[in-house]
Structures are given as structure tokens and as C-alpha cells.
Amino acid sequence: MKKVHLWLLLLPGLLFLTIFMIIPIFMTIGSTFYHEGEFTVDGYVKLLSDPYMLKILGTTLQVSFVTTLVCILLGFPTAYYISKTKARTKGILLMLALFPLLTSAIVRSFSWMVILGKNGLVNQFLLGIGLIDDPLKILYTPTAMMIGMIHLFLPLMIISLVGVMENIDGDLLQASESLGASRWKGFMSIIVPLCVPGLIVGSILVFVGSLTAYTTPQLLGGKQRVIATFLYQNAMTLNDWYMASVIATVMIVITFIIIGLMNRLARKLNPKG
Amino acid sequence: MELLSLNDISVAYEKNLILKNFNLHIEKGELISLLGPSGCGKTTTLRLIAGFLEAKDGRFMFEGKDYTRVPVNKRNFGFVFQSYALFPHMTVFDNVAYGLRLRKVSKDDIAKRVTDMLKVVSLEGFEKRFPGELSGGQRQRVAIARALVIQPDLLLFDEPLSNLDANLRVNMRVEIRRIQKELGITTVYVSHDQEECFSISDKVAIMNQGVIEQLDAPAVIYKYPTTEFVARFIGFHNFIDVNGLKVNGEQVTADCPQGLKLSLVHRSGHPIVEQMKAAIRPDDLLIALQSELSNGLGGLTAAELETGWNVVAGRVKVSTFLGRSYQYEVETALGTFTVNREMEAPFETNAAVQLILPKEKVVLVRTKV
Ligand SMILES: Nc1ncnc2c1ncn2[C@@H]1O[C@H](COP(=O)(O)OP(=O)(O)OP(=O)(O)O)[C@@H](O)[C@H]1O
Ligand SMILES: [Mg+2]
């Protein structure tokens, strides 16, 4: 009886996901193997042998990877600091950390264009102090995309990490110190491994988010394409829905591979995570 | 030989001064307990000794060296936390080996010492388990093993048994005492369980609001508390103001309110000062009907009782069955007294009774530290 009730609770969400997500995804994947009336894998062959496409794939992975790494490096100390503050300060700091998520991606990207552009703040500053003679080209490069996405996704990393860090018993670090560990050693051998679950969740969110982001790379990347913008171009500009589906399928597969790898890494780093 | 001393130490959390001019001296090899009500500063004292907290003032000497500013990881003290604080991502073996690895002990030595230590705490065969897969008592023993294996110069326990059930608590405290004696490690033990402290300690320090009110062997504290706070804390429920103390060797007489005259034997040797009270445990106070006084009671002759020495008249207000005895709340001109008596038929409510304070059982305590 109880079981049936629980199933009923699940039903609306399940129904929604099935109709609007699972079925379309399978239809998309299915359509990639069926082109002009017959079974084919031509789309994949064509895509994966296309140097342009491979370059885009490479750039996308590189941007996502660097974005994730920088988010970890920036997010970890911040999250640790936030997790150690008192409840009220914590609320305020978390609110501030989440702020980028609350502004529209378009507004945010335009701001970055102002900052990173040829006559932007960064170049004006560097020219002003005489560090460079000609303006740097930052906007419309992978670097600009990374900066925009780090800004966008850092909050996800911070919340994931604060979540696990809050639950780490404060006595653990003191226990390690009393056993002879320096602060740093204790931090690395106790706190960091215990943060692995949060690190993995945060990394998956950031990586997959970067991999599939559209607005930020579109506005900050200029002619530089990533998979998401390439997909859009195929579908909307070239009107090649078949290739768009193939690209979408490749993206889905990459996403699952990444999640799988991350989880394996997590088990290795923290067997009891 | 004195191993450790806290000299005029002050500790504050932000602006709150918790310990003020705090002094404590500990001999090598002894187990000393800090006992006191919640919030009196036991954990604070222990954390100060461990080095987790810094003294604002005063000096902490250890083996004749100034340890006041020595960081935690250079002190070589073992700390057993109330929460155990086992590393959840490490096996039992790795938890215990943690301190040895930091000391660059060779692999073979680590294996040997960890195995030996797990034997001491009866946890052979648990090496590969994670803390999450152990019972409370087992975790506790891992925590002890982890603190002991580094051969600490001092062992600190913060209420290590408070999360265990009553039976296990008794077994574990016997264990702790056995290991401590076997290895001869000087130990500071914090608890607010009186029986626990009394049963395992060489000395007990009774703390109140950041001050040690009495530091003595358990039996001494039990029989001869020095202050009213200590007496109350260890179960003296009955107090009487005393004036006009006349001391003649161990024989002391006093005048009390309502014309009560008190005669007692002062054996503790604690100094007699201006402001004191007489104290007696419910178990030691006698309760009787008027008719039972004719043979003398509590070291007093019938004649003495007749003339009012050590006798207070009252009425039973509440009687409670305690199993082996009855507990009575008796209302008198001097206030309400609590008294226990083993007897078949309890006194009835409102029965007129006499309370007798046996000479040997009344102690004098200071009202101030
Ligand atoms: N981190 C802290 N910040 C501010 N005040 C604290 C802090 N820790 C303890 N205190 C205060 O210091 C006083 C002593 O606390 P302590 O933890 O030493 O008490 P305790 O004797 O160990 O009590 P218990 O038996 O409840 O563990 C208490 O009044 C407590 O409120
Ligand atoms: Mg405490």
C-alpha cells in the first residue's frame, strides 16, 4: 500500500520527463541512424573525419576542462572559508557567491564584452600602465569564453563544495594536528579527500554546463565555434537537422563518458565517499 | 614528580573570560579527572592543554619546559574526542597508523605497532573496516588506539564514554584505566559523570565556573568536600548555617538557627574559617520517631538528644520509593531536609519525626571558595 503511494508521487514528474525529454532524446538518437530511408552511420563517419569538427570538439573539451579546473582552484578556498563562518555570515556570503547565476547570461556576456574588448577596461588598464603597446586580443578567443564561463559556473562549484564541507566534523582537523600533522598536511590528508564527493558533483555540473553552454560562447567566442554553437549553426543556419542530431548525440555520449570517468575517479580518491 | 603545570592561565572566547588565573599541577603517571557541571570549562581546560586554544595570559609548563606557545602538532599529546573524530575515509588500520606515518616510522614498524595496539584495545581483525562499519564502543577503542600508538607524553580524554550505553560505559572505563596503568601514561580525563570520574581517577578536580574548587583523591572528596558547591555536586543535599564554632581538637560545636546545637567530629583537617555550613548526605541523616530516641542514636546519648543536640524536629511532606530505601522530604524550622531510610513501612505523610545528625557524618564546608 505504502509503495503504491510513493509511486503515485513519482508519476507526474516521470510522465513529464518521459514525454518531453526521454522520448525526444531517443527519437533524436534514432534519427541519426536512419537517413533518407535507410540505416546508416554516415553522419558519424562524416562528422568524426571532418578536421573542422574535430577542432571544434577539441576546443570545446579544452574550454570545458580549463573552466572546471579554474573553478576548482578558485572555488575550493572560497567554499572552505564560507563553510567556516557563522550561520548568518554564511547566508550572506552564499547569496553573494550565487549572484552571477541570478543575472541573465546575455547581460553578463555583454558586460564581459565591455571589459575584454579591444578598447575594454583590461586593455585600457594595461596600455595605461605601459605594460603593453598594442591592445591584446582577448575577446572572441577561447580565453574569453573561459572567463565568461568561469564567472557563470563558479557558483555551482562553490555550493557543491560548501554542502560537503559543512558536514565535515571540525574535530577531524584538530585530531590530525594532535597526531602530529601540520595544518596544511591535515588539510590535504583529511579535508580534501572528504571533499571529493562535492568536488565531483561540482565538476560534473561545471563541465557538463560548459560543454553544453550556448549563449556565453556565442557572444564571447565570435567566430570561434564550440559544439553547442556549431550545432545551432547546422540546425538553424544550414538547416541540416540530420547533422544537428548527430552532433547532439555525440554531445550526449561525451557527457555520459565524462560523468562515468568522474565517478570512477571519485571512488578511487575516496573509497568511502 | 610534577609533569605539567598551568600557572595563572586565562582563556577567553572572544570577550568571554572562561578561565581566569587558572592553576593546575599534575604528577607524572597519574590519572586526573576534571569534573563539573555543563559549561564550567572542562573542555576549555583540556583544549588549552592540547594546544587547540591559546592562553591569553599565564604559563603552561611541561616537563620543565615552557609549552605555552608550542603548536599542537609539536606537543605529542594524544587526544580522544567525545565524537571520536575518526577519519571516515580511512580504514581502522590507516586511522591508527596516521600518526606513525607522519613520524616517518618504517612500514614494517607501523604494521607491527598498529597490530599490537589493536590487540591492546581488543580490535584484532578489524583493520580493514571503515569507521562507519563499527559500533560506538569499537569506534571509541579505535580512537584510543590512535591516540596511544604515537606513545604520547600525555593523554587527554574529553567525555569519551558519553555516547555509549550504560553497560559499555562501565566496561570501557575499566579498560581505559587498565591501559592507562599498564602503559603508565599521565592522563587528564574530562567527564560530568561523577561515578565514572571517581572510579578511574587517582585525583579528581571539581570545577565550578572556571575555577577548581577542590582537587583531591576521590575518597577524600567523597567524604570531605571543602566547599558548599563541591558538597552539593557530590550529593550532600542538606545544609545548615553555623555560627559560634568552638574547636577543641577534632571536636567542634556550633550554634545554628532556631536554637539547634550541633556537635561534630571534624576529621578532614580542612581549615576552619568564618563562613561555613554544616552538610550531611541524605543517606547519613537519620530519621526517627520521638519514641526511638530513648536509646541514643548517631553517636549521641539519649541525654544529649534530649537536650536538643543534633536533633531537628519536622514533618514528612513527600515520601518516594527508591527501591532499596525510601526518600523523605522533611519540613523543619530550618528548611526542608532530604533523608533516606531503609525500612519496611514508610513514615506517613505529615507524620511528626525527628532528624538526627550523627556526629561523625556532619562535615563543615566553606560557603566561598
Ligand atoms: N567556541 C566557543 N565560543 C564561545 N564560547 C564558548 C565556546 N566554547 C565554549 N564556550 C563557552 O565557554 C564555557 C565553557 O565551555 P566548555 O566547553 O569548556 O564547558 P564544559 O565544562 O566542557 O561543558 P560540558 O560538560 O557541557 O561539555 C561555556 O560557558 C561555553 O558557553
Ligand atoms: Mg565539554
Side-chain angles (χ1 to χ4, degrees), chain B residues 93 110-120 124 127:
Chain B
F93 184 94
I110 290 180
K112 188 175 172 316
R113 281 168 69 177
V114 171
T115 312
D116 287 351
M117 193 44 74
L118 288 176
K119 213 171 276 167
V120 172
E124 299 133 294
E127 288 84 352

Side-chain angles (χ1 to χ4, degrees), chain A residues 30-260:
Chain A
S31 73
T32 62
F33 294 104
Y34 195 74
H35 193 45
E36 284 161 2
E38 54 192 272
F39 175 83
T40 173
V41 289
D42 277 359
Y44 292 97
V45 174
K46 193 172 147 208
L47 194 73
L48 296 177
S49 59
D50 177 359
Y52 180 56
M53 168 61 193
L54 290 179
K55 192 171 153 272
I56 289 175
L57 194 61
T59 311
T60 313
L61 288 175
Q62 187 201 349
V63 167
S64 306
F65 184 75
V66 174
T67 303
T68 310
L69 201 69
V70 175
C71 281
I72 291 175
L73 293 179
L74 293 181
F76 205 93
T78 315
Y80 192 64
Y81 180 82
I82 293 177
S83 75
K84 288 280 155 219
T85 53
K86 295 206 183 87
R88 200 146 56 98
T89 330
K90 194 182 289 175
I92 297 171
L93 289 177
L94 271 179
M95 210 34 224
L96 288 175
L98 291 184
F99 212 69
L101 285 180
L102 305 179
T103 54
S104 125
I106 299 187
V107 174
R108 216 174 331 102
S109 295
F110 277 123
S111 316
W112 279 116
M113 288 164 88
V114 171
I115 295 170
L116 300 175
K118 209 166 187 171
N119 296 313
L121 292 175
V122 172
N123 274 321
Q124 274 179 18
F125 175 73
L126 292 177
L127 285 169
I129 62 168
L131 210 65
I132 52 170
D133 296 326
D134 298 309
L136 291 176
K137 182 170 169 56
I138 310 175
L139 192 60
Y140 306 136
T141 64
T143 310
M145 290 195 239
M146 287 174 205
I147 293 175
M149 289 206 278
I150 290 164
H151 182 210
L152 174 58
F153 291 123
L154 189 56
L156 295 181
M157 184 62 82
I158 292 178
I159 328 181
S160 311
L161 283 173
V162 169
V164 289
M165 283 171 174
E166 269 180 333
N167 292 321
I168 297 177
D169 179 0
D171 286 346
L172 293 184
L173 202 55
Q174 298 197 320
S176 75
E177 279 183 75
S178 78
L179 291 166
S182 62
R183 280 272 163 85
W184 173 250
K185 177 83 196 161
F187 186 82
M188 293 309 284
S189 62
I190 308 298
I191 306 297
V192 172
L194 290 175
C195 286
V196 165
L199 219 46
I200 294 296
V201 171
S203 298
I204 289 176
L205 289 176
V206 174
F207 197 94
V208 173
S210 314
L211 201 68
T212 54
Y214 172 76
T215 316
T216 306
Q218 176 73 8
L219 292 175
L220 298 181
K223 285 212 182 57
Q224 178 70 57
R225 294 259 169 270
V226 291
I227 306 185
T229 51
F230 185 55
L231 187 154
Y232 179 84
Q233 187 188 28
N234 270 283
M236 305 311 278
T237 317
L238 307 176
N239 214 1
D240 185 350
W241 285 87
Y242 174 69
M243 275 319 279
S245 301
V246 173
I247 297 169
T249 307
V250 169
M251 271 173 90
I252 292 171
V253 170
I254 291 177
T255 306
F256 276 104
I257 290 175
I258 297 295
I259 293 177

Side-chain angles (χ1 to χ4, degrees), chain B residues 13 18 37-44 159 192:
Chain B
Y13 290 111
I18 306 299
S38 189
C40 70
K42 306 181 293 290
T43 300
T44 305
E159 305 203 26
H192 55 225

